[in-house]
Amino acid sequence: MTRTYSRITGTGSYLPPRRLTNADLVAELATQGVETSDDWIVERTGIRARHFADAGVSTSDLALHAARQALEAAGLEAKDIDLIVVATSTPDMVFPSAACILQNKLGIAGCPAFDVQAVCSGFVYALTVADAMIRTGTAHKALVVGAEVFSRILDFSDRTTCVLFGDGAGAVVLEASETPGILASDLHADGKHVGILCVPGQVSGGVVAGHAMLKMDGPAVFKLAVGVLEEAARATLAKAGKTEADIDWLIPHQANIRIMQSTAKRLKLSMDKVIVTVDQHGNTSAASIPLALDAGVRSGKVKKGDTLMLEGVGGGFTWGAVLLNL
């Protein structure tokens, strides 16, 4: 009996047209009495620009553009898809899921569609879930999307967080295959760290109860992130019977260049082997890994046959990694 695996056969991405450089954002914040600078942002994060969605543009709208690109790259039509998984922390509505709304916008119906909420680790979680469903025969052609409009949950009076995030979407088509694509994955969570990165609000009685803006303890997040990213990467390599030397490209969650540099150093990888988009995208949460993956593919850096390590860490606290052959 032939064993079933899953492989990425197409990638896509989308950034909303409104691009704000650090200078643009600094000028906007100054009108609200918030002081920061391009130097301050670049030194601490490596971010130079980000994209914000216009009013009325939803997460599913961004996801739709990325999904269509991925489908085109895979040589498929929307009707060929039999599973949709969307990783997001900023869905269009409380419910239904952004995945169901995306399904309707793609003009298809019937296949399972659901969201995964693991914040910045969301795409790694979603890819692992879709891989498992393909391996068991539940699905054959999956659309896995990471999409966010984080600009909607930022506190623009807090310069330590509002300069970090951006909006966007990335997508992959994952298909059943007789040859291994996804080699191994490693997922974790630890709820005791809820307070260091969260949006502590909810809808109650038709109004927002609590605080519906992002709150983050930056130093605590940094300290935790570097350690768990290394652990997840090593655990994933061990499951696949591989070593750091087998990694052609590290494609990490694009949160902070210093976290990425520290992770690469611990894995004995040169930054020449790391796909970096944080400088132009900012932190796009669940969208950051597929955005970076598509950027690497479309630039010609990441090629078919390359071995990729994807990894992310986010609020929850959640973290995880996926090793795959493209």
Side-chain angles (χ1 to χ4, degrees):
M1 183 176 177
T2 303
R3 188 173 178 180
T4 300
Y5 301 94
S6 72
R7 297 188 71 92
I8 291 175
T9 58
T11 67
S13 62
Y14 181 74
L15 294 163
R18 186 186 175 206
R19 180 177 182 270
L20 285 86
T21 64
N22 286 346
D24 296 329
L25 188 57
V26 167
E28 284 197 17
L29 292 174
T31 66
Q32 303 175 47
V34 179
E35 293 186 7
T36 188
S37 68
D38 174 67
D39 289 342
W40 189 90
I41 298 168
V42 172
E43 179 184 350
R44 287 162 176 77
T45 69
I47 298 168
R48 298 181 182 276
R50 74 286 292 147
H51 292 250
F52 283 172
D54 290 335
V57 175
S58 66
T59 291
S60 66
D61 290 327
L62 305 186
L64 179 62
H65 288 290
R68 284 173 171 164
Q69 269 200 4
L71 287 166
E72 182 180 5
L76 298 178
E77 297 180 16
K79 64 180 177 60
D80 299 318
I81 295 298
D82 56 14
L83 171 67
I84 300 173
V85 186
V86 174
T88 187
S89 298
T90 54
D92 299 26
M93 305 178 184
V94 173
F95 69 82
S97 68
C100 284
I101 297 170
L102 172 61
Q103 182 190 56
N104 182 54
K105 289 180 177 179
L106 285 167
I108 58 177
C111 71
F114 57 90
D115 289 355
V116 169
Q117 219 288 42
V119 200
C120 303
S121 307
F123 185 77
V124 168
Y125 268 61
L127 195 62
T128 301
V129 170
D131 171 58
M133 292 180 72
I134 287 175
R135 285 174 182 258
T136 60
T138 306
H140 302 280
K141 293 179 173 61
L143 184 61
V144 185
V145 185
E148 303 281 16
V149 283
F150 252 58
S151 60
R152 308 275 167 79
I153 57 172
L154 298 180
D155 179 355
F156 286 95
S157 67
D158 179 6
R159 75 167 186 167
T160 64
T161 58
C162 70
V163 300
L164 304 179
F165 296 89
D167 303 338
V172 302
V173 171
L174 194 66
E175 295 192 55
S177 171
E178 293 184 1
T179 57
I182 293 184
L183 304 175
S185 62
D186 190 63
L187 303 179
H188 297 276
D190 188 345
K192 74 172 177 280
H193 299 293
V194 165
I196 66 175
L197 178 55
C198 60
V199 177
Q202 58 183 289
V203 176
S204 177
V207 297
V208 174
H211 186 76
M213 299 296 181
L214 183 145
K215 289 183 172 294
M216 181 173 72
D217 180 343
V221 169
F222 185 97
K223 182 178 180 181
L224 182 63
V226 173
V228 299
L229 286 173
E230 179 190 6
E231 291 170 7
R234 293 196 181 282
T236 305
L237 287 168
K239 289 178 183 180
K242 304 287 186 179
T243 70
E244 303 101 315
D246 295 308
I247 299 173
D248 293 307
W249 291 102
L250 175 64
I251 307 181
H253 167 48
Q254 309 284 313
N256 181 305
I257 191 64
R258 293 189 297 169
I259 292 176
M260 296 161 67
Q261 290 168 338
S262 296
T263 302
K265 184 177 181 180
R266 290 187 177 208
L267 294 175
K268 301 175 184 177
L269 294 174
S270 161
M271 285 301 292
D272 291 340
K273 285 194 165 189
V274 182
I275 298 295
V276 177
T277 57
V278 68
D279 57 328
Q280 296 301 313
H281 297 174
N283 182 346
T284 56
S285 190
S288 77
I289 292 174
L291 274 167
L293 171 60
D294 188 56
V297 169
R298 291 179 188 270
S299 70
K301 289 182 178 180
V302 177
K303 298 178 176 62
K304 187 173 178 60
D306 284 351
T307 299
L308 316 179
M309 174 68 77
L310 316 182
E311 58 175 5
V313 57
F317 227 70
T318 64
W319 65 94
V322 173
L323 187 72
L324 62 90
N325 286 336
L326 192 64

